[in-house]
């Protein structure tokens, strides 16, 4: 079966750095997405990785290792508004999006 | 970025009535749209894939006669929850991908919070 694993919840301090991991086992791979979802709102796109390596976009970076079936989202200089759920999603061989359960990130002052 | 508009944002209806939710891609064509349901503190659950001009593909366990999907054009898909019951109360979200690229991200509508009383 297809499976995506993320930690359920993480806590970090304002101004610090946090890394959210995602491991996946899917039938084929055509890219990995990270989305941010605030409570009661629709997810918003953060990043897309299809090749191995690190993609940096401002305070957020995303890393992919296809051989390990592993990705992480790195958030720097954390702000209170970064408190949200972070969803990892993988596109399989049929270009269907498979979603992880999401990681709830709690930022403390 | 591309915009997907979902309407209404929230709706309260009586048990036994039907509710229609619209999902429009405003500045791109979407051959395929997706309908998700999300219960509190849970992940997105794909309900069905809506294909323009053909029947929707439903995920296992989703009643196709209860959740009617119509994808009449390249920019509009509708989800109708028929004979709604309180257990259908949830957050319904649609998403669409630009037909021009299979590796593009999914753009989401704002979501519809349905409360059945």
């Amino acid at each position: 079966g297809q499976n995506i694993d993320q930690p359920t919840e993480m806590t970090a301090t304002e101004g610090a750095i946090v890394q959210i991991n995602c491991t996946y086992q899917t039938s084929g791979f055509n890219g990995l997405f990270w989305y941010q979802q605030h409570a009661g709102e629709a997810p918003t796109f953060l990043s897309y990785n299809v090749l191995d390596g690190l993609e940096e976009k401002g305070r957020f970076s995303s890393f992919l290792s296809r051989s390990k079936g592993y990705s992480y989202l790195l958030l720097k200089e954390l702000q209170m508004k970064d408190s949200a759920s972070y969803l990892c999603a993988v596109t399989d061989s049929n270009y269907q999006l498979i979603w992880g359960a999401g990681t709830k990130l709690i930022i403390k002052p | 970025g591309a915009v997907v508009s979902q309407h209404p944002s929230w709706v309260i209806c009586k048990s036994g009535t039907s509710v229609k939710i619209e999902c429009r891609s405003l500045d791109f064509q979407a051959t395929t749209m997706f309908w998700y349901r999300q219960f509190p503190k849970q992940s997105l659950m794909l309900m069905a894939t809506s294909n323009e001009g053909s029947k929707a593909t439903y995920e296992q366990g989703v009643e196709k006669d209860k959740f009617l999907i119509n994808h009449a054009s390249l920019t509009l898909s509708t989800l109708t929850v028929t004979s709604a019951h309180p257990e259908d109360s949830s957050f319904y979200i649609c998403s669409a991908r630009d037909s021009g690229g299979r590796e593009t991200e999914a753009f989401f509508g704002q979501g519809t919070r349905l409360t059945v009383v």
Side-chain angles (χ1 to χ4, degrees):
Chain A
Q2 312 216 80
N3 192 51
I4 296 181
D5 287 318
Q6 306 178 236
T8 303
E9 187 174 297
M10 299 182 70
T11 302
T13 305
E14 189 177 16
I17 299 173
V18 70
Q19 177 175 310
I20 303 174
N21 296 324
C22 170
T23 58
Y24 62 89
Q25 294 172 313
T26 56
S27 55
F29 176 83
N30 279 302
L32 184 145
F33 298 88
W34 282 97
Y35 285 83
Q36 180 190 61
Q37 185 179 25
H38 286 98
E41 298 179 12
T44 55
F45 169 78
L46 288 179
S47 67
Y48 171 68
N49 294 68
V50 66
L51 299 176
D52 291 349
L54 186 69
E55 295 279 343
E56 297 186 75
K57 190 183 292 185
R59 294 189 297 115
F60 293 4
S61 303
S62 57
F63 171 83
L64 174 67
S65 169
R66 288 172 296 173
S67 63
K68 296 181 179 179
Y70 167 71
S71 172
Y72 67 72
L73 179 68
L74 190 71
L75 292 76
K76 303 176 183 176
E77 301 170 14
L78 286 170
Q79 302 176 10
M80 297 303 293
K81 66 178 182 180
D82 297 329
S83 292
S85 287
Y86 291 84
L87 305 170
C88 173
V90 172
T91 307
D92 68 9
S93 57
N94 293 319
Y95 291 92
Q96 294 296 312
L97 268 175
I98 313 300
W99 293 92
T103 299
K104 182 179 180 180
L105 178 62
I106 300 169
I107 309 297
K108 294 185 176 181
Chain B
V3 177
V4 174
S5 176
Q6 187 173 340
H7 178 80
S9 298
W10 60 270
V11 58
I12 301 172
C13 71
K14 291 184 177 181
S15 185
T17 61
S18 296
V19 174
K20 179 185 283 188
I21 303 170
E22 292 188 350
C23 181
R24 294 180 184 272
S25 56
L26 297 185
D27 52 2
F28 66 97
Q29 293 184 333
T31 306
T32 305
M33 292 185 177
F34 305 90
W35 288 96
Y36 297 87
R37 180 168 52 183
Q38 187 175 34
F39 293 105
K41 299 184 180 181
Q42 294 186 22
S43 182
L44 293 171
M45 292 178 55
L46 180 64
M47 298 176 66
T49 302
S50 170
N51 303 298
E52 187 267 336
S54 65
K55 292 183 178 180
T57 304
Y58 290 82
E59 295 300 300
Q60 192 172 8
V62 178
E63 300 174 59
K64 62 180 181 180
D65 295 329
K66 180 173 182 61
F67 298 99
L68 301 179
I69 291 173
N70 185 286
H71 195 151
S73 75
L74 286 172
T75 58
L76 173 64
S77 175
T78 61
L79 168 67
T80 302
V81 183
T82 62
S83 187
H85 292 286
E87 57 264 31
D88 298 324
S89 298
S90 185
F91 192 48
Y92 292 86
I93 309 173
C94 72
S95 76
R97 290 165 106 174
D98 192 325
S99 299
R102 302 180 78 183
E103 297 180 351
T104 58
E105 70 267 31
F107 298 99
F108 286 86
Q110 305 93 318
T112 298
R113 186 160 301 284
L114 170 63
T115 302
V116 184
V117 297

